């Protein structure tokens, strides 16, 4: 696993753009999500590029992903201020779920969704703001959006009276955001069970990485899934040729090996599981 | 031909058409719809015989066939979620048949792509649906348009008010774009066919999962904007087994037994709607498209191929007025 982690980091390093950023795939111009996840995975953060203000929704990952890098304090403070200024559109509140709950959308002027809200909650927790109003709103929103099967999907657990299926990626992020909060103990326990079953049935790179991270964040055995994930690494060191997935896989390896993992900071303030 | 040049050409052509049409008051008289054709072929099941059906169908379209030799073709499939009992996606065997037919007709490269609107993990969709395995056997690349580079495409007419939208570069740079859609009802749009399928041309990394900005802007306006602005070359609709009721995810399968195709997407969708027992003139998207140059009137669509009897799809009560 250590070798896979080193190979993954080497791939990320070698595929950086001249400005230090990473696209989702080699040759693509820099994007916030892969660049920040790679920084979280131990690749040098391109501070100047990150400071250009082009991160979009991915900026909400910055306070968590860059947590262990003191030189990024100014950037993290800026992104916390940005996310606090954002608020999703809300509705009347009745129906299949509570649309009156404010959260975070992917883009301004839209409804709240699972993954952007999970990113925001992670950032707020990393900044010690989980008890602030916005932190409480994020928790309430995520707990409301949990599906009947125990997982989360993009954010509509029920539609026109029917329960919708959950999805591993959204579930993984919701768990990372909620784990360690007392009011989320039971929902997280159900979520992990659903995620393990789901990934067991269809072990993709993306879902294996997030399951490994969630297990590590919950202080559960994560080596088995991490080893399976390592087995999916390409010969060149990448996972599926994608920088975001390679970074997530590296983060999962790091977490499983007990290395500092910024995404676990909310539950493990020292960065180690 | 350079990719940008190709699309620039499409833009110029569309503008020229608009000028000519405006001069004759075409848009002010939506009843004067241009004559269009749709080919419909019987197909009772998903099998290897579909390749023959697709090849036979495409032969009705010499203008498309003449462009295929040496072309890079993108099949924009409909890949949303996977459930073994619900026909949510374009069936993998239809995708395979289209690939084989296009190769046989001389396409240099056939790619399959989509930007699934609910799921970030396309590997799960490819594995679960079986499409990934079949594409692997054929040596065909699946392009996850959610993570593709993109170009900001100005919107013709801008009915949505969004002015421009990020469209996947692979799709814009293909020589030929085919919307390879599924025959389904849709709880917010009434139906989803070859035009609504174009939502999957837009990268999720720009718009999120789901692409909620498009819903807030209005599904019908965005759909017509995408049809007019992307200007796909062709549409093929998998109507072998459709979805009725609470589509596009939670509905029930309904054997419909056909493949429909054509180069004017609104006409293809209008005829598919009729085969679903729906009056296309009542569908908000097609009504809006008609006001912007589309042909949807039965009297202006020549239907070729096999005779398929309409079958009334179950509709949610909110859409019962579409009959």
């Amino acid at each position: 696993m250590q070798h896979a982690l080193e190979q993954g980091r080497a791939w990320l390093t070698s595929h950086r753009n001249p400005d230090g950023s990473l696209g989702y795939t080699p040759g693509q111009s820099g994007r916030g999500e892969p660049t920040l996840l790679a920084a979280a995975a131990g690749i040098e953060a391109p501070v100047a590029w990150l400071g250009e203000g082009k991160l979009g929704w991915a900026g909400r990952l910055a306070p968590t992903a860059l947590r262990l890098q003191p030189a990024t304090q100014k950037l993290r403070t800026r992104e916390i201020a940005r996310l606090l200024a954002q608020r999703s559109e809300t509705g009347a509140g009745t129906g299949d779920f509570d649309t009156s709950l404010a959260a975070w959308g992917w883009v301004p002027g839209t409804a709240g969704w699972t993954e952007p809200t999970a990113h925001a909650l992670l950032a707020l927790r990393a900044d010690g703001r989980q008890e602030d109003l916005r932190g409480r709103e994020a928790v309430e929103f995520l707990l409301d959006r949990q599906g009947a099967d125990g997982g989360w999907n993009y954010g509509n657990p029920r539609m026109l009276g029917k329960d919708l299926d959950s999805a591993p990626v959204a579930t993984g992020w919701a768990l990372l955001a909620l784990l360690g909060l007392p009011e989320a103990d039971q929902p997280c326990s159900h979520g992990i069970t659903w995620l393990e079953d789901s990934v067991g049935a269809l072990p993709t790179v993306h879902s294996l990485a997030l399951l490994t991270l969630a297990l590590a964040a919950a202080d559960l055995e994560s080596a088995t899934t991490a080893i399976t994930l390592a087995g999916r690494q390409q010969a060149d060191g990448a996972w599926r040729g994608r920088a975001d997935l390679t970074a997530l896989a590296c983060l999962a390896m790091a977490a499983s090996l007990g290395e500092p993992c910024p995404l676990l900071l909310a539950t493990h303030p020292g960065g180690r599981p | 031909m350079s990719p940008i040049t190709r699309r620039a050409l499409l833009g110029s052509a569309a503008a020229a058409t608009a000028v000519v049409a405006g001069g004759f008051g075409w848009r002010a008289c939506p009843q004067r719809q241009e004559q269009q054709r749709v080919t419909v072929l019987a197909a009772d099941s998903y099998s290897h015989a579909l390749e023959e059906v697709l090849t036979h169908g495409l032969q009705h379209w010499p203008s498309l066939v003449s462009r295929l030799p040496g072309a890079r073709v993108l099949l924009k499939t409909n890949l949303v979620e996977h459930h073994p009992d619900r026909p949510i996606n374009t069936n993998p065997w239809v995708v395979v048949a289209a690939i084989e037919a296009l190769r046989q007709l001389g396409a240099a490269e056939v790619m399959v792509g989509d930007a699934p609107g609910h799921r970030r993990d396309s590997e799960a969709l490819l594995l679960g649906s079986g499409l990934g395995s079949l594409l692997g056997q054929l040596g065909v690349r699946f392009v996850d348009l959610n993570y593709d580079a993109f170009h900001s495409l100005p919107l013709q007419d801008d009915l949505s008010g969004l002015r421009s939208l990020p469209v996947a570069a692979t799709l814009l740079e293909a020589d030929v774009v085919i919307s390879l859609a599924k025959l389904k009802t849709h709880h917010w749009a009434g139906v989803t066919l070859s035009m609504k399928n174009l939502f999957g041309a837009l990268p999720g990394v720009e718009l999120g999962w789901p692409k909620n900005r498009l819903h807030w802007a209005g599904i019908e306006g965005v759909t017509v904007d995408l049809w007019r602005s992307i200007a796909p070359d062709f549409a093929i609709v998998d109507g072998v087994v459709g979805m009725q009721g609470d589509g596009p995810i939670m509905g029930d399968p309904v054997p419909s037994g056909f493949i429909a195709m054509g180069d004017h997407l609104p006409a293809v969708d209008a005829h598919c709607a009729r085969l679903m027992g729906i009056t296309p003139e009542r569908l908000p998207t097609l009504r809006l498209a008609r006001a912007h140059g589309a042909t949807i009137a039965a009297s202006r669509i020549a239907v070729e191929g096999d005779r398929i009897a309409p079958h009334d799809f179950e509709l949610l009560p909110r859409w019962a007025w579409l009959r």
Side-chain angles (χ1 to χ4, degrees):
Chain A
M1 216 173 355
Q2 186 68 47
H3 179 68
L5 174 57
E6 286 165 12
Q7 292 288 104
R9 283 177 172 150
W11 187 90
L12 289 168
T13 301
S14 67
H15 286 83
R16 285 180 301 177
N17 294 319
D19 57 15
S21 68
L22 280 154
Y24 284 96
T25 52
Q28 206 179 72
S29 59
R31 307 299 298 267
E33 185 184 27
T35 303
L36 286 164
L37 290 176
I43 309 304
E44 188 184 352
V47 179
W49 184 85
L50 291 168
E52 289 175 10
K54 296 187 290 194
L55 300 177
W57 60 263
R60 294 182 210 123
L61 286 167
T64 318
L66 304 174
R67 173 76 167 151
L68 301 179
Q69 304 185 31
T72 64
Q73 177 64 49
K74 193 174 159 189
L75 178 72
R76 284 183 276 132
T77 302
R78 183 192 77 183
E79 292 301 331
I80 287 285
R82 273 188 63 212
L83 78 85
L84 287 173
Q86 297 160 349
R87 195 180 197 86
S88 66
E89 300 294 328
T90 55
T94 53
D96 293 304
F97 44 85
D98 190 350
T99 59
S100 72
L101 299 175
W104 283 263
W106 294 93
V107 295
T110 60
W113 300 102
T114 300
E115 200 175 325
T117 303
H119 294 164
L121 179 56
L122 273 168
L124 292 171
R125 293 182 70 181
D127 203 46
R129 293 171 182 264
Q130 64 269 24
E131 294 303 325
D132 291 2
L133 172 65
R134 298 307 307 278
R136 301 314 306 161
E137 284 179 344
V139 172
E140 191 180 1
F141 178 90
L142 288 174
L143 293 179
D144 181 70
R145 295 305 198 267
Q146 186 170 25
D149 57 13
W152 280 260
N153 64 17
Y154 51 89
N156 284 349
R158 198 168 165 80
M159 184 59 63
L160 301 178
K162 289 180 185 165
D163 291 323
L164 303 188
D165 297 333
S166 293
V169 173
T171 300
W173 281 107
L175 287 170
L176 286 174
L178 289 168
L179 275 163
L181 298 174
E183 66 270 46
D185 273 357
Q186 196 68 12
C188 285
S189 174
H190 291 152
I192 287 175
T193 300
W194 181 86
L195 187 57
E196 286 183 307
D197 291 347
S198 176
V199 176
L202 210 58
T204 68
V205 166
H206 210 155
S207 63
L208 280 165
L210 282 162
L211 173 59
T212 304
L213 285 163
L215 291 172
D219 285 330
L220 296 169
E221 193 273 327
S222 61
T224 305
T225 53
I227 290 166
T228 306
L229 181 59
R232 297 289 310 276
Q233 189 174 33
Q234 296 170 189
D236 65 359
W239 276 266
R240 294 188 64 75
R242 286 244 306 269
D244 58 321
L245 295 182
T246 301
L248 267 180
C250 287
L251 282 160
M253 301 285 148
S256 192
L257 288 165
E259 284 192 20
C261 177
L263 296 190
L264 306 193
L265 279 181
T267 41
H268 301 274
R272 288 174 189 277
Chain B
M1 186 181 291
S2 90
I4 301 303
T5 304
R6 174 177 179 267
R7 287 294 156 187
L9 189 65
L10 279 173
S12 304
T17 304
V19 168
V20 171
F24 288 98
W26 180 37
R27 292 191 191 177
C29 306
Q31 69 274 20
R32 295 183 61 193
Q33 298 170 34
E34 285 190 348
Q35 183 69 38
Q36 301 290 348
R37 291 189 298 129
V38 172
T39 301
V40 183
L41 296 165
D44 290 335
S45 65
Y46 296 109
S47 67
H48 290 289
L50 281 172
E51 182 190 336
E52 197 179 321
V53 172
L54 266 291
T55 305
H56 174 60
L58 291 173
Q59 297 294 352
H60 285 74
W61 298 91
S63 59
L64 174 74
V65 170
S66 66
R67 293 177 54 203
L68 292 176
R72 293 175 70 244
V73 182
L74 179 76
L75 287 171
K76 197 292 172 190
T77 188
N78 189 219
L79 188 63
V80 188
E81 294 193 16
H82 171 67
H83 190 284
D85 301 325
R86 294 185 227 128
I88 297 170
N89 308 313
T90 309
N91 188 282
W93 288 108
V94 174
V95 180
V96 167
I99 293 166
E100 298 281 25
L102 291 164
R103 282 177 166 175
Q104 214 174 78
L105 292 166
E109 184 184 7
V110 182
M111 300 168 283
V112 174
D114 197 5
H118 292 174
R119 300 294 180 100
R120 292 198 69 168
D121 188 1
S122 61
E123 185 189 5
L125 296 174
L126 291 168
L127 284 172
S129 67
L131 178 62
S133 158
L134 291 170
L135 295 183
Q137 291 168 32
L138 292 169
V140 169
R141 184 160 64 104
F142 178 84
V143 185
D144 189 340
L145 302 180
N146 271 327
Y147 298 90
D148 204 16
F150 67 91
H151 300 298
S152 184
L153 187 69
L155 299 177
Q156 300 266 349
D157 299 329
D158 192 20
L159 302 170
S160 62
L162 294 172
R163 292 195 288 188
S164 65
L165 278 169
V167 178
T170 300
L171 184 141
L172 290 177
E173 293 170 7
D175 299 317
V176 173
V177 174
I178 298 177
S179 176
L180 187 55
K182 185 75 179 173
L183 185 84
K184 291 188 289 188
T185 52
H186 190 291
H187 53 216
W188 303 136
V191 297
T192 172
L193 297 159
S194 71
M195 291 171 69
K196 174 69 173 63
N197 186 35
L198 300 175
F199 273 42
L202 313 181
V205 293
E206 281 298 301
L207 295 166
W209 289 263
K211 295 159 191 165
N212 196 214
R213 190 176 169 207
L214 310 183
H215 302 140
W216 282 77
I219 291 176
E220 57 267 28
V222 173
T223 304
V224 177
D225 276 344
L226 291 175
W227 162 59
R228 298 261 299 148
S229 308
I230 293 175
D233 301 279
F234 203 71
I236 300 173
V237 177
D238 165 15
V240 179
V241 176
M243 177 181 280
Q244 63 183 354
D246 188 9
I249 305 296
M250 300 297 287
D252 301 312
V254 50
S256 303
F258 70 87
I259 299 278
M261 62 180 74
D263 63 1
H264 185 70
L265 275 62
V268 174
D269 288 2
H271 188 68
C272 285
R274 286 191 181 90
L275 293 177
M276 299 164 83
I278 289 170
T279 305
E281 285 81 0
R282 293 185 180 177
L283 282 166
T285 299
L286 287 178
R287 204 166 52 218
L288 184 62
R290 183 185 61 180
H292 291 269
T295 295
I296 64 170
S299 61
R300 305 298 293 160
I301 301 172
V303 181
E304 305 164 344
D306 298 324
R307 188 173 180 81
I308 305 292
H311 172 87
D312 283 355
F313 275 39
E314 287 173 15
L315 301 175
L316 291 177
R318 63 168 58 211
W319 291 108
W321 55 277
L322 291 178
R323 291 267 186 248

